Amino acid sequence: MTQTVLVINSGSSSIKYQLVDPETGEAIAKGLVERIGDSLGNIKHAHGDEVTTEELPIPDHEIGMREVLRLFDTKGPALDEAGIVAVGHRIVQGGKYFDGPALVTDEVRDLIEQLCPMAPLHNPAHLKGIDVARELMPDVPHVAVFDTAFFQQLPDKTATYALNAEVAEKYAVRRYGAHGTSHQFVSQEVAKRLGRDDLKQIVMHLGNGASVSAVLNGKPIDTSMGLTPLEGLMMGTRTGDIDPAVVFHLARQGNLSIDEIDHIFNKESGMKGLTGESDMRSVWAFIRDGSEPELQHKARVAMDIYVNRLLKYVGSYAAELGGLDVMSFTAGIGENDSGVRRELAEALAPFGVKIDVEKNELRSSEPLVISAPDSKVLLLVFPTNEELAIARQTLSII
Ligand code: ADP
């Protein structure tokens, strides 16, 4: 009989869920509860071709989760008939405690709670999801799958900051990385499809949040996100790498509080901070549309910064890997933005990277080779599937 896993991603005001068949990868049903805590919330539940949308007050996560279970009952599939064997919870921060998925026990729950200061926006919201799901579905095992787990294998030289060792130890400051489930999934699937485990890979997870990793023979050796997801690439609303002294400067010269600086760096910078829009489609539209030359110029500069940051990471990671066999693009921008891929590949032409410009424009839900046959590096568009990865990791430990 089919075994399925209900994957839950509980956010501060939302619950995203998917019932997955880990063997086939099929998403049997999926949905999203939004605006929890607002006067009116919203639920979308899709089962096969049937999509149900409802607006109703959803004061808290418990009621949100009850509504999800009601929709499974009324709109299908009935969870027990669909062979549910476990619930997999996506957890952003697993700190130093978790280097793989963990069965949720009271101890595991407490450790996730202890890590809340490291992920103040995420872990508390995940805990709400875990608590209500355990209460409402007590008969199946619950598993926590951590976004940081893959990067617990980073070598000391890339996991450690050159920060005073006592301070780093006292406050658990190190590179934890993020999007690990996606980097692990893509790098493993690429190796599987190429039938090789001796690969020098770069994985670019380019979504609204964006990170890049270097994977050598299946193990991560570096990644761009750090203690938090702020470090590394330029993102939709985040600065990415920036001189930390900018913080001191803004605090001293601008009298800005730490919370204000945190907000500017995480929510008001990146593409949004430079062009007014965080979505790459809008930024490309500004570049194409010359009716506002000043905006067009700003957008072009922002895109140049974006691509240049990618280029710097590819250069340094290729050096760390001692070469490069495969580079995979994934997530919203990686999978859809042919312009970013082309500009990056063109900048890498002196190193023997050759993109097939026509293939680069194709759209596919399947992995796609977009490099020319004589390219020194294989370029792939490789759709990520974090829900499937979470479902498989969940199944692997129950
Ligand atoms: P998240 O980090 O929120 O999971 P996604 O991986 O869904 O993000 O990526 C969302 C981003 O992908 C959007 O903000 C947008 O910049 C980009 N994107 C989505 N579709 C396209 C497209 N067709 N062309 C260019 N960029 C796109």
Side-chain angles (χ1 to χ4, degrees):
M1 184 184 150
T2 312
Q3 294 190 316
T4 57
V5 175
L6 179 62
V7 175
I8 295 179
N9 184 353
S10 173
S12 54
S13 65
S14 68
I15 301 171
K16 205 170 156 186
Y17 62 93
Q18 203 174 103
L19 186 69
V20 182
D21 178 341
E23 208 172 290
T24 62
E26 186 196 352
I28 297 161
K30 60 180 165 185
L32 178 63
V33 184
E34 284 178 299
R35 290 184 281 138
I36 297 174
D38 282 6
S39 51
L40 204 55
N42 188 67
I43 305 189
K44 190 170 166 184
H45 177 88
H47 174 213
D49 293 335
E50 194 192 346
V51 180
T52 310
T53 309
E54 291 183 6
E55 279 204 328
L56 70 169
I58 308 166
D60 56 32
H61 283 69
E62 181 178 342
I63 296 190
M65 202 63 224
R66 282 187 192 280
E67 294 298 334
V68 171
L69 296 180
R70 175 181 61 80
L71 285 168
F72 272 108
D73 275 347
T74 55
K75 302 292 173 185
L79 285 173
D80 45 357
E81 282 165 29
I84 184 170
V85 291
V87 179
H89 296 267
R90 179 197 181 217
I91 312 291
V92 160
Q93 181 55 267
K96 64 179 179 190
Y97 302 125
F98 300 103
D99 59 6
L103 192 66
V104 180
T105 57
D106 292 343
E107 290 76 38
V108 164
R109 189 207 170 278
D110 288 348
L111 288 175
I112 296 170
E113 188 160 31
Q114 276 180 35
L115 292 165
C116 285
M118 310 282 288
L121 296 179
H122 293 106
N123 275 29
H126 300 329
L127 281 173
K128 284 187 187 162
I130 286 184
D131 290 345
V132 301
R134 282 175 92 197
E135 190 190 319
L136 298 177
M137 288 176 277
D139 300 331
V140 287
H142 291 249
V143 173
V145 177
F146 300 91
D147 239 13
T148 48
F150 186 50
F151 296 122
Q152 280 298 297
Q153 309 174 62
L154 286 177
D156 289 345
K157 66 182 174 187
T158 56
T160 312
Y161 290 111
L163 172 69
N164 176 282
E166 277 173 33
V167 174
E169 170 75 22
K170 184 167 178 197
Y171 296 102
V173 176
R174 59 160 273 164
R175 180 180 307 288
Y176 292 103
H179 297 142
T181 308
S182 177
H183 287 280
Q184 181 174 22
F185 176 80
V186 171
S187 57
Q188 284 178 349
E189 289 296 310
V190 167
K192 223 188 281 170
R193 283 180 188 243
L194 297 180
R196 282 179 58 183
D197 41 25
D198 61 328
L199 285 173
K200 293 170 176 149
Q201 298 196 51
I202 287 180
V203 178
M204 299 221 168
H205 179 108
L206 309 179
N208 198 24
S211 60
V212 50
S213 66
V215 181
L216 181 63
N217 305 334
K219 283 205 183 333
I221 60 161
D222 208 348
T223 192
S224 60
M225 284 179 167
L227 175 76
T228 76
L230 183 58
E231 194 180 346
L233 302 174
M234 173 181 165
M235 309 180 209
T237 62
R238 295 191 188 116
T239 58
D241 294 334
I242 188 166
D243 182 346
V246 174
V247 177
F248 320 143
H249 179 75
L250 294 180
R252 291 185 186 126
Q253 304 301 315
N255 245 333
L256 296 181
S257 70
I258 290 298
D259 285 344
E260 285 169 321
I261 299 172
D262 186 332
H263 180 78
I264 293 169
F265 280 23
N266 273 295
K267 302 274 182 212
E268 299 292 339
S269 295
M271 275 297 164
K272 183 175 178 209
L274 292 175
T275 70
E277 290 286 343
S278 62
D279 194 301
M280 295 297 259
R281 287 163 288 196
S282 311
V283 182
W284 282 117
F286 294 152
I287 293 173
R288 278 193 303 271
D289 172 15
S291 62
E292 287 185 71
E294 207 178 315
L295 182 58
Q296 184 185 37
H297 176 70
K298 272 191 198 166
R300 187 57 259 179
V301 172
M303 197 59 83
D304 288 346
I305 299 171
Y306 191 89
V307 174
N308 196 57
R309 189 73 60 91
L310 294 176
L311 182 64
K312 285 199 206 180
Y313 270 95
V314 174
S316 57
Y317 283 4
E320 285 187 84
L321 288 161
L324 182 58
D325 298 313
V326 195
M327 183 154 76
S328 304
F329 294 90
T330 196
I333 297 166
E335 291 168 33
N336 297 299
D337 195 324
S338 57
V340 163
R341 295 191 303 250
R342 184 174 45 74
E343 291 192 5
L344 175 64
E346 283 171 0
L348 289 165
F351 302 97
V353 172
K354 267 195 211 167
I355 193 164
D356 180 323
V357 283
E358 277 165 24
K359 285 206 186 123
N360 183 45
E361 297 300 331
L362 298 176
R363 285 289 177 87
S364 161
S365 55
E366 286 296 304
L368 203 65
V369 176
I370 56 163
S371 47
D374 58 341
S375 175
K376 287 215 173 110
V377 177
L378 186 70
L379 303 180
L380 298 175
V381 174
F382 206 106
T384 193
N385 191 336
E386 286 169 286
E387 286 79 11
L388 174 58
I390 291 171
R392 285 190 179 153
Q393 289 195 40
T394 298
L395 200 58
S396 75
I397 63 154
I398 61 162

